[in-house]
Amino acid sequence: MVKAFGGAGRAHRRFRTAADTFVGTFHRWERGISRIAAGMQLVLSPPFVLLVVLIGGAALITNGALAPADLLPFLLLGLGLTAPVAALGHGFDDLQSARRAIGRIRDVLAVPSLPEPANPVAPQGHRVELRQVRFGYEAGHEVLRGIDLVLEPGTVTAIVGPSGSGKSTPAQLLPRFFGPTHGSVTLGGADLREIGSRELYQRISFVFQDVRLLRASVADNIALAVPRADRGDVVRAARPANIHDRVLELPRGYESVIGEDAGLSGGEEQRISLARVLPADAPVLVLDEATAFADPQTEQAVRRALATLEGDRTILVIAHRLETVADADTVVMLDNGSITERGRPAELLAQDGAFAGFWRTHQTAGIDEAGPDREERS
């Protein structure tokens, strides 16, 4: 990036300056402790300890305070103590590093978790409703401003909008990664704050844009939500996600360990992430920009999976590519944290409003990216 924008010379000069500054600082620090370190190593060296014991013992023997035979235990003990004392010095450095690591772990553990309800409520069904939801990641800056939205069972609801519109925030609120600052999010008539986390995550599955796979076998990653799933369940989940054939090409198939003998592209990892939600059979599914950086195969897998999951499930799709929402039952257009339009995709296009403009912009951008040949073919 630096080279592409003609900044290689400036970057090299800054790097050399920073490196020279570091070397100078390191040399000054090293000179300050080198004498102390050298002295400690000399004092703890076996020859020095042997010499001190011999000189001291000889003086005591000459004065008659020590019998010659009693000098031998001091010689043996003195030589034997040098290594443990030197090890203690190195252990002190390890102890300091461990203390700093413990401090970082304590900082993580000190972050308060979302409180569990004292008397958990079981949802009745899987109808999702957002009522006058307001939320901001930072105080004084609201991302959602009074959102009212209902996700009915058996429907696919897609949320679209420009960057910064807040369209991904509902996907963070539904699995209760955050709580609304005002209003409520309900599942089956029960406020999410009144549902136990174990119950909640058995009813909601989600696929996010940022894929996180475990350093485990492909089968274990797909069966993450259902550890007792057999190979047939794993394969049945992999097929609609369009990843089964690729897995069979790996050295050990489904037993290949991701990060060791399974090298996957970003799109393939996304497809495994998509397959991971299928064995769970959760009644609510959240797809948060799962195709934002996907290849055509992954986007096709997402649409195929949506078709497979249709039925009585409640599906929320946060869309980056508008093709993904073409078959949605309801499209919600967000702008600046508020709903500007909602309805079926064809109806919103016919209204020629914000969504239609957003769609045209997307289509134009797609033609520009494809180049003049595609435009002529169109």
Side-chain angles (χ1 to χ4, degrees), residues 131-136 142 144 146-147 173 179-185 193:
R131 304 170 182 166
Q132 283 297 303
V133 170
R134 293 181 175 272
F135 175 76
E142 285 189 331
L144 297 180
I147 297 296
L173 297 180
T181 54
H182 178 77
S184 64
V185 181
R193 290 166 288 199

Side-chain angles (χ1 to χ4, degrees), residues 29 56 89 121 136 153 177 192 229 258 263 272 281 283 307 339:
W29 170 80
V121 176
F177 293 156
L192 295 186
I258 293 176
I272 289 181
D281 199 27
I339 297 177

Side-chain angles (χ1 to χ4, degrees), residues 158-161 322 325-326 331-333 340-362:
I159 300 180
V160 300
L322 295 182
V325 307
V331 172
V332 177
M333 182 77 184
T340 57
E341 289 183 345
R342 74 178 79 196
R344 298 188 64 86
E347 296 173 353
L348 294 181
L349 289 174
Q351 293 176 8
D352 199 22
F355 176 74
F358 191 62
W359 182 280
R360 285 193 297 268
T361 302
H362 173 81

Side-chain angles (χ1 to χ4, degrees), residues 179 186 298:
T186 64
T298 303

Side-chain angles (χ1 to χ4, degrees), residues 217 219-220 228-237 252-255:
S217 69
D220 288 342
R228 296 181 181 179
D230 58 25
R231 182 54 52 85
D233 295 330
V234 171
V235 172
R236 281 191 292 273
R252 291 188 290 149
Y254 280 93
E255 295 303 319

